[in-house]
Amino acid sequence: MTNFVRRIPEGEDRERLVCGDCGFVAYENPKIVLGSVVAEEGRILLCRRAIEPRRGFWTLPAGYMELGETTEEGAKREAWEEARARLELDGVLAIYSIARIGQVQIIYRAHLAEPGFAPGPESLDVRFFAWEEIPWDDLAFPSVHWALKAWKSGAPGIAGNPPQDPRGVAGL
């Protein structure tokens, strides 16, 4: 059994998990989340979550990056897993830092590469919404709000956290 303790290793400036027997440092780093704002004819694809956290709430097709894939491959995989949608990516829309939960979120602009979509195993429902139909009070996460507003603004460049939450700590 490994004997990990929290301490500041030599040459470091913060506590880490360190094996008390051999000195191995187990770094804990942020997770990368990949997703897409999928737009077709001005309508946005949203998925109603079938899993926690925030089961029953609406979100973008998004999830954790896997080892061995690029960010583009991960965004496309997540769209398939959650919405059975094949995507064509149109570039990075936003990069969000969510310090509160140790995430970096990379959100792409996208459209369907081929017709068709349906709920995947992590979704209760999948639909396209016109802007005025988006269920704003039932969106799962703050970053979904941010990404939708970044998409709607059409501003060039890559969006980031809003000025009122630069570290992504406000939560819901």
Side-chain angles (χ1 to χ4, degrees):
M1 178 126 185
T2 308
N3 177 26
F4 279 98
V5 294
R6 283 208 173 272
R7 67 177 176 83
I8 301 175
E10 186 177 332
E12 298 269 347
D13 63 354
R14 63 190 72 210
E15 283 190 346
R16 309 277 188 192
L17 280 176
V18 180
C19 177
D21 298 325
C22 70
F24 174 82
V25 179
Y27 291 95
E28 299 169 295
N29 301 108
K31 296 281 189 179
I32 298 172
V33 172
L34 307 167
S36 302
V37 174
V38 181
E40 292 289 330
E41 300 177 5
R43 297 165 39 114
I44 304 296
L45 184 70
L46 295 176
C47 306
R48 190 163 177 229
R49 292 177 61 81
I51 59 172
E52 293 295 347
R54 310 287 290 160
R55 185 181 197 282
F57 286 79
W58 293 90
T59 191
L60 302 172
Y64 291 112
M65 183 176 189
E66 297 289 348
L67 291 174
E69 68 184 1
T70 67
T71 60
E72 295 87 354
E73 290 166 344
K76 289 178 178 182
R77 176 187 49 75
E78 285 293 339
W80 177 253
E81 287 178 1
E82 295 189 7
R84 293 300 186 237
R86 301 277 186 212
L87 300 187
E88 186 69 37
L89 302 181
D90 300 319
V92 175
L93 170 68
I95 300 175
Y96 300 121
S97 296
I98 316 293
R100 174 177 56 85
I101 53 176
Q103 290 182 359
V104 174
Q105 298 184 3
I106 302 171
I107 309 298
Y108 285 89
R109 290 178 180 89
H111 63 275
L112 294 178
E114 59 188 47
F117 61 92
E122 296 180 1
S123 298
L124 298 169
D125 191 8
V126 179
R127 284 189 237 169
F128 274 99
F129 289 89
W131 187 257
E132 61 277 1
E133 298 170 335
I134 292 173
W136 294 100
D137 291 339
D138 292 325
L139 295 180
F141 310 107
S143 58
V144 176
H145 288 262
W146 302 347
L148 291 172
K149 290 174 183 174
W151 176 85
K152 181 68 171 172
S153 80
I158 298 172
N161 290 40
Q164 67 272 20
D165 196 4
R167 297 187 69 247
V169 295
L172 292 173

